[in-house]
Amino acid sequence: MNKELKTRLQDVAKHSGVSMMTVSRVLNKNGMVSDKTRAKVQVAVKELNYRPNVSARRLASSKSFFLGLLYDNPSTSYVSQFLLGSLKFCRASGYHLVVDEADNDLAKTLKSVKELINITQVDGLILLPPVCDIPEVLDTLTTANIPFVRVSPNSQLHISPYVCMDDYQAAFEITEQLINQGHINIAHIIGHPDVGASRLRYQGFLDALRSNKISVPPEYIEQGYFTYKSGLSAAQKLLSLENRPSAIFASNDDMAAASISAAHMNNIQVPSALSVVGFDDTSLASTVWPHISTVRQPIQEMAKMAVELLVSGKFDDPTSTKKSDLRHVLDFEIIQRESSAELR
Amino acid sequence: MNKELKTRLQDVAKHSGVSMMTVSRVLNKNGMVSDKTRAKVQVAVKELNYRPNVSARRLASSKSFFLGLLYDNPSTSYVSQFLLGSLKFCRASGYHLVVDEADNDLAKTLKSVKELINITQVDGLILLPPVCDIPEVLDTLTTANIPFVRVSPNSQLHISPYVCMDDYQAAFEITEQLINQGHINIAHIIGHPDVGASRLRYQGFLDALRSNKISVPPEYIEQGYFTYKSGLSAAQKLLSLENRPSAIFASNDDMAAASISAAHMNNIQVPSALSVVGFDDTSLASTVWPHISTVRQPIQEMAKMAVELLVSGKFDDPTSTKKSDLRHVLDFEIIQRESSAELR
DNA sequence: ATTTTTCGTGTTAGCGCTATCATATTGTTC
DNA sequence: GAACAATATGATAGCGCTAACACGAAAAAT
């Protein structure tokens, strides 16, 4: 560790002719500094390419500069994408990320949460679905007064800031695209019942059909669990129906991939005899053949937003924030690939 | 941040009736402490459930307690698995992980490495393939005298510790398993030429055939790049051969998945008319249908080992270590699933 | 013009730990 | 048992930063 190289707060202070404390205030954006001094300091920071020492900061301040990320067990690629995104933005803001997997067991999950709070002393927590909807976890955090951000939560939307995308609208649009391609017999594989997005996507699907005056027979709706396996058995049922659907909308890519497999197994050509669309645009969507038409979720952007919300400190005082500021919706994108096509 | 809760070094010192410095010495395993005092202190540490404050440590010591992880662009699931593994073990050892993606551009990659060294001041670096074989990166690290561990490296094996598995042997065994299932016409899709493991797997494949007196026509060997796409075009060629192989051994799961897709496209049943085996046992292997028979790489264990090697400090002085200590081989496992079967 | 309030800035102490050196306690040699 | 080396422990001073207060200057109120 080369000590000569590092610029310290003192160097910046000397260079701009003020005290260390003033520089500190400028960097932490709290406290009051006149515009003139602030500008002066900022110039010095830039010129010296100063980067604060996270450890010294953490040691001296009441903040830990740690954020926690708690994930459950959705698709691996979803978690890893989110993870990479948040690591990147944490680093940019001088924070560190402590990652923990929530166990299936509620008691263990709560233990993890408490350890993050008491031992690691995180400044805030990011909760991925479906952990973000476990009431006991939310209670623990609220009681401990730890700020947290939830990703695509399902319930109790007023208790914390959250990032999400418009699952309903995306489902509506991708369904409508199938309709525009001439499909009428469209089946749906619902996502995991514990994940709120599943319901929204299902609703979007239904409403798209309704607004186009298309009715859905009940046997066109199958319950899945976001896993390949569940998708496979759902698709098998759909494809063995008397009146086989010409298109399947699966609530995520894993189940869409499974639908394609099921089609292969039954010698049904995709997309000529069956169109399949998924949701999420995980790497899987372009790793199976044919590539899956899907909805791109901006996972990295969601991670960035989640980190930013915590870092900003805007929500540190839970009583002072208005409901309207809690919701942060990011844009999606419909991706047309080879697994869906015009009905012939 | 609740200050009352945390046990400090001082508390441990008081509790065991020695000075802070002695406790520090016990914890850091350097310096000399008598066995009696060490025992006393260790008891106190346990009783008080003491956890050292990483930031204070970092601030006061010459170490940064940061490790860097540099990855390139192999399969997402490989990276994310490794990432999760190393995060876990870093946390357990009180280190933090700084992750950086190596750009395709050499200059940018070197810039990342230098930033990790100079700005973040990492204590050590983990290099994933194929970054672990870029001479300029290795040179930079050697010059800066930063310890690093490489994962499945290809070349210059004497310059740093590394973790790997026996790719050759694993390839040999999974090929032999196909042979034992009655297969004679076995094709191979080679992995990315820049990744050393590709060659080892290819060699293991060849030697398994040779030792069973089976000859391979040259058209049974296709070059791939570890991507689904490259695997698809390779498999297409293999399956359109006059004398079609009855089995394909792909150098990773992505290309095995592609081979299965290609089979579907050509109306070839897997595994009844074509057996396919892969390598890595990433999540993909059990997300396509049929599930892929493959070699399980112990990715998380490799991550753990890599972190441990750096944390141990055994290799901080590059001149003092013997060649024999550098190599760390972990066990693999052959996983038989539904994509391969007895030849009928 | 004086008091009060605000704002902007500097001063001091210390966060929890380790490096460094000083000191105390052994053990070893002749 | 004196003289030395080796080993074991303690005291002190920071690492780079911020909290908490102190203080002067400007603005507002009397």
Side-chain angles (χ1 to χ4, degrees):
Chain A
M1 215 160 133
N2 194 334
K3 268 152 199 169
E4 277 70 54
L5 243 76
K6 264 289 202 188
T7 347
R8 289 158 333 204
L9 196 61
Q10 213 175 28
D11 305 325
V12 182
K14 231 171 248 170
H15 195 269
S16 49
V18 294
S19 75
M20 279 167 59
M21 205 50 225
T22 305
V23 180
S24 169
R25 271 189 274 256
V26 170
L27 291 170
N28 291 287
K29 289 168 190 174
N30 51 15
M32 28 204 67
V33 188
S34 73
D35 291 350
K36 215 197 298 179
T37 353
R38 185 195 316 285
K40 214 165 42 177
V41 170
Q42 278 164 344
V43 168
V45 168
K46 274 242 170 97
E47 278 184 3
L48 298 176
N49 189 28
Y50 170 73
R51 304 282 206 93
N53 180 317
V54 187
S55 304
R57 217 175 191 179
R58 177 151 43 217
L59 189 57
S61 77
S62 53
K63 293 166 93 180
S64 76
F65 292 92
F66 280 120
L67 296 183
L69 174 65
L70 201 61
Y71 70 94
D72 214 340
N73 199 12
S75 113
T76 323
S77 47
Y78 178 87
V79 174
S80 77
Q81 280 245 61
F82 198 96
L83 190 55
L84 287 172
S86 24
L87 278 169
K88 201 158 127 193
F89 295 112
C90 274
R91 193 179 160 192
S93 347
Y95 277 70
H96 282 283
L97 199 67
V98 179
V99 185
D100 215 336
E101 184 173 8
D103 217 272
N104 276 331
D105 182 10
L106 176 62
K108 278 195 194 161
T109 303
L110 284 175
K111 204 186 145 214
S112 293
V113 173
K114 279 175 188 152
E115 213 177 287
L116 282 171
I117 297 174
N118 293 325
I119 311 284
T120 316
Q121 316 214 9
V122 292
D123 289 337
L125 219 51
I126 301 173
L127 305 178
L128 260 39
V131 211
C132 61
D133 284 311
I134 302 176
E136 288 87 347
V137 171
L138 303 180
D139 280 354
T140 309
L141 291 172
T142 311
T143 309
N145 206 21
I146 303 285
F148 58 97
V149 171
R150 294 183 291 158
V151 178
S152 302
N154 187 13
S155 55
Q156 294 198 266
L157 299 182
H158 59 286
I159 63 166
S160 82
Y162 59 97
V163 297
C164 61
M165 52 162 285
D166 195 338
D167 284 283
Y168 172 86
Q169 184 62 27
F172 190 99
E173 288 184 20
I174 201 162
T175 307
E176 200 149 58
Q177 183 161 313
L178 286 173
I179 297 170
N180 291 339
Q181 287 171 329
H183 294 280
I184 291 171
N185 298 319
I186 308 175
H188 181 59
I189 306 177
I190 308 175
H192 195 292
D194 287 354
V195 177
S198 305
R199 221 191 38 230
L200 293 172
R201 293 175 194 173
Y202 178 36
Q203 199 59 52
F205 163 79
L206 288 179
D207 288 359
L209 293 177
R210 187 163 307 149
S211 81
N212 283 277
K213 310 249 173 358
I214 300 171
S215 66
V216 206
E219 64 270 23
Y220 273 17
I221 307 298
E222 283 287 338
Q223 178 70 53
Y225 296 90
F226 280 152
T227 61
Y228 179 87
K229 206 171 164 184
S230 69
L232 196 64
S233 77
Q236 293 280 25
K237 283 187 206 153
L238 293 174
L239 295 182
S240 57
L241 288 175
E242 194 91 5
N243 176 29
R244 208 174 73 198
S246 72
I248 296 178
F249 166 32
S251 196
N252 79 343
D253 289 338
D254 293 62
M255 299 195 299
S259 303
I260 292 175
S261 295
H264 283 316
M265 290 161 69
N266 289 288
N267 263 315
I268 300 166
Q269 294 297 318
V270 177
S272 55
L274 177 76
S275 282
V276 175
V277 300
F279 209 105
D280 284 354
D281 195 29
T282 57
S283 59
L284 188 62
S286 29
T287 307
V288 298
W289 190 88
H291 296 344
I292 303 173
S293 300
T294 188
V295 175
R296 197 183 86 85
Q297 268 211 79
I299 301 181
Q300 292 230 358
E301 285 86 339
M302 288 169 116
K304 179 182 182 177
M305 178 66 82
V307 172
E308 275 176 353
L309 287 172
L310 287 176
V311 169
S312 76
K314 265 188 263 177
F315 300 94
D316 289 0
D317 180 7
T319 56
S320 73
T321 35
K322 286 163 284 172
K323 271 192 182 182
S324 58
D325 295 336
L326 298 176
R327 184 179 175 82
H328 298 270
V329 187
L330 295 176
D331 290 339
F332 59 86
E333 193 185 341
I334 307 276
I335 313 262
Q336 172 70 43
R337 293 211 182 89
E338 295 84 40
S339 72
S340 65
E342 202 85 20
L343 183 68
R344 295 179 310 181
Chain B
M1 217 161 133
N2 194 332
K3 267 153 201 171
E4 279 70 54
L5 244 78
K6 264 287 200 190
T7 351
R8 287 155 332 194
L9 196 61
Q10 212 176 30
D11 305 325
V12 182
K14 230 171 247 170
H15 194 268
S16 48
V18 296
S19 76
M20 278 168 58
M21 206 48 228
T22 305
V23 180
S24 171
R25 270 190 276 258
V26 171
L27 292 170
N28 291 289
K29 290 168 190 175
N30 52 13
M32 27 204 68
V33 188
S34 72
D35 291 351
K36 215 197 301 180
T37 345
R38 186 194 316 286
K40 215 166 42 177
V41 170
Q42 277 165 344
V43 168
V45 167
K46 273 241 169 100
E47 277 184 2
L48 298 176
N49 189 28
Y50 171 71
R51 304 282 207 91
N53 180 317
V54 188
S55 304
R57 219 175 187 177
R58 177 151 45 218
L59 188 57
S61 78
S62 53
K63 293 165 93 181
S64 76
F65 291 92
F66 280 120
L67 296 183
L69 174 65
L70 202 60
Y71 69 94
D72 213 340
N73 200 13
S75 111
T76 323
S77 46
Y78 178 87
V79 174
S80 77
Q81 280 245 62
F82 198 96
L83 190 56
L84 286 172
S86 23
L87 278 170
K88 201 158 129 192
F89 294 112
C90 274
R91 194 180 159 191
S93 341
Y95 277 70
H96 282 283
L97 199 66
V98 180
V99 185
D100 215 337
E101 184 173 7
D103 217 272
N104 277 331
D105 181 9
L106 177 62
K108 277 195 196 161
T109 304
L110 284 175
K111 206 186 145 213
S112 292
V113 173
K114 279 175 188 153
E115 212 178 289
L116 282 170
I117 297 173
N118 293 325
I119 310 282
T120 317
Q121 315 216 9
V122 292
D123 289 336
L125 218 52
I126 300 173
L127 304 178
L128 261 37
V131 210
C132 62
D133 285 310
I134 300 175
E136 288 87 347
V137 172
L138 303 179
D139 280 354
T140 308
L141 291 171
T142 312
T143 309
N145 205 23
I146 302 286
F148 59 97
V149 171
R150 294 184 292 158
V151 178
S152 303
N154 187 13
S155 56
Q156 295 199 268
L157 300 182
H158 59 285
I159 62 167
S160 82
Y162 59 97
V163 298
C164 61
M165 53 163 284
D166 195 338
D167 283 283
Y168 172 86
Q169 184 63 25
F172 190 100
E173 288 183 20
I174 200 162
T175 307
E176 201 149 56
Q177 184 161 315
L178 286 174
I179 297 170
N180 292 338
Q181 287 172 331
H183 293 279
I184 291 172
N185 298 319
I186 309 175
H188 181 58
I189 305 176
I190 307 176
H192 196 292
D194 286 354
V195 177
S198 305
R199 222 192 35 232
L200 293 172
R201 293 174 193 174
Y202 179 35
Q203 199 58 52
F205 164 77
L206 288 179
D207 289 358
L209 293 177
R210 187 163 305 150
S211 80
N212 283 276
K213 310 248 177 348
I214 299 171
S215 66
V216 206
E219 64 269 24
Y220 274 18
I221 307 298
E222 281 289 338
Q223 178 70 54
Y225 296 90
F226 280 151
T227 61
Y228 178 87
K229 208 172 164 184
S230 69
L232 196 63
S233 76
Q236 293 280 25
K237 282 188 206 154
L238 293 174
L239 295 182
S240 58
L241 288 175
E242 194 93 5
N243 176 29
R244 206 175 73 198
S246 72
I248 295 179
F249 166 31
S251 198
N252 79 344
D253 289 339
D254 293 63
M255 299 194 298
S259 303
I260 292 175
S261 295
H264 283 317
M265 291 160 69
N266 290 287
N267 263 317
I268 299 167
Q269 294 297 317
V270 178
S272 55
L274 177 76
S275 282
V276 174
V277 300
F279 209 106
D280 285 354
D281 195 27
T282 55
S283 61
L284 188 62
S286 26
T287 307
V288 298
W289 189 87
H291 296 346
I292 303 173
S293 300
T294 188
V295 175
R296 196 183 86 87
Q297 267 211 79
I299 301 180
Q300 293 230 358
E301 286 86 340
M302 289 169 113
K304 178 182 183 175
M305 178 68 82
V307 172
E308 275 176 354
L309 287 171
L310 287 176
V311 169
S312 77
K314 267 189 261 177
F315 301 95
D316 289 0
D317 180 8
T319 56
S320 72
T321 36
K322 288 162 284 172
K323 271 190 182 183
S324 58
D325 296 335
L326 297 176
R327 185 179 173 80
H328 298 270
V329 186
L330 295 176
D331 290 338
F332 60 85
E333 194 185 342
I334 307 276
I335 312 262
Q336 172 70 42
R337 293 209 182 90
E338 295 86 39
S339 71
S340 64
E342 203 85 20
L343 183 68
R344 293 178 312 183

